[in-house]
Amino acid sequence: VLERENITDPVLGIHNRRYLERRLATEVARASRYGMTLSVLLIDIDHFKRINDTYGHPVGDVVLRGLAQLIVNTVRTTDIVARYGGEEIMVITPSTPVKTAAQLAERLRKAVEEAPLAIPADLHRDLDKMRITVSIGVACFGRQAVDMKELIQNADKAMYQAKREGRNRVVVGCAPDA
């Protein structure tokens, strides 16, 4: 129980940042050592501040938990889903080329767009479901990112590019053949 609490985000119910950093370091080392592919997805809820400001933080927490569960249910069991920070969630996709990671990101983006999240009546009387969208940055380990720091930076840059380009989209921050 203590180990699970130590690696789990209490609000989202997925892995926390500490676990994310340990696992990403391990996966980067493995990909480097064995010449394997590795991609990450950085997912951010579009206009999340507006949700918190309009409906309150308890509704925001429900939205975050609903998104986290949707992601966990959509990715492969070998993928690692963790809270990166705030409303950002990272998915580590071991042994996954960027093309496959981009397809996963698009499938996730579409699933989020199409799945209304249930809001308990005791949190907000006039709101039983909420639709959200996400912006996703995809980055890959290899030529464009030679360490964990660069990999995260590239995913972050791609995610912010997705936001600048209108949100509710996927941007790949590395060459398709990487």
Side-chain angles (χ1 to χ4, degrees), residues 19-36:
Y19 181 83
L20 169 73
E21 289 175 351
R22 281 198 323 248
R23 273 307 295 271
L24 188 55
T26 299
E27 295 303 332
V28 164
R30 180 179 294 138
S32 181
R33 187 177 312 117
Y34 299 110
M36 298 166 66

Side-chain angles (χ1 to χ4, degrees), residues 14 22 33 35 38 40-42 45 58 60 65 68 76 79 83 94 96 101 113 130 134 148 160 165 172 174:
I14 57 175
R22 281 198 323 248
R33 187 177 312 117
L38 170 66
V40 296
L41 285 59
L42 188 56
I45 299 173
R65 274 193 299 277
R76 306 167 303 184
D79 297 332
R83 187 174 197 171
T96 305
E113 181 182 45
M130 178 179 292
V134 292
M148 187 171 113
Y160 278 103
E165 292 178 1
V172 177
C174 50

Side-chain angles (χ1 to χ4, degrees), residues 4-177:
R4 190 170 62 241
E5 285 179 8
N6 195 30
I7 64 171
T8 302
D9 182 273
V11 175
L12 274 65
I14 57 175
H15 295 298
N16 62 21
R17 175 77 178 252
R18 185 180 318 119
Y19 181 83
L20 169 73
E21 289 175 351
R22 281 198 323 248
R23 273 307 295 271
L24 188 55
T26 299
E27 295 303 332
V28 164
R30 180 179 294 138
S32 181
R33 187 177 312 117
Y34 299 110
M36 298 166 66
T37 55
L38 170 66
S39 299
V40 296
L41 285 59
L42 188 56
I43 304 161
D44 188 65
I45 299 173
D46 296 329
H47 305 294
F48 185 69
K49 184 179 180 336
R50 190 182 307 155
I51 293 169
N52 275 339
D53 291 350
T54 304
Y55 303 106
H57 290 274
V59 170
D61 288 350
V62 167
V63 169
L64 282 168
R65 274 193 299 277
L67 173 62
Q69 204 50 58
L70 182 64
I71 293 168
V72 167
N73 292 340
T74 304
V75 301
R76 306 167 303 184
T77 56
T78 54
D79 297 332
I80 298 107
V81 180
R83 187 174 197 171
Y84 180 69
E87 72 273 13
E88 296 173 340
I89 296 173
M90 183 172 279
V91 180
I92 305 169
T93 60
S95 304
T96 305
V98 68
K99 182 179 178 185
T100 305
Q103 291 167 345
L104 171 62
E106 181 55 31
R107 195 166 69 245
L108 268 172
R109 185 205 61 77
K110 195 171 183 157
V112 170
E113 181 182 45
E114 292 173 354
L117 301 173
I119 307 297
D122 62 327
L123 285 183
H124 203 282
R125 244 186 3 256
D126 306 322
L127 184 70
D128 64 338
K129 291 191 185 315
M130 178 179 292
R131 289 190 179 276
I132 61 168
T133 59
V134 292
S135 296
I136 305 176
V138 179
C140 54
F141 179 74
R143 287 189 307 256
Q144 285 96 353
V146 296
D147 60 26
M148 187 171 113
K149 183 179 174 195
E150 279 187 355
L151 184 61
I152 292 171
Q153 285 174 339
N154 290 350
D156 196 52
K157 283 182 205 166
M159 185 196 66
Y160 278 103
Q161 183 181 340
K163 290 197 172 293
R164 281 193 310 277
E165 292 178 1
R167 303 179 195 272
N168 191 24
R169 65 190 64 233
V170 172
V171 170
V172 177
C174 50
D177 61 348

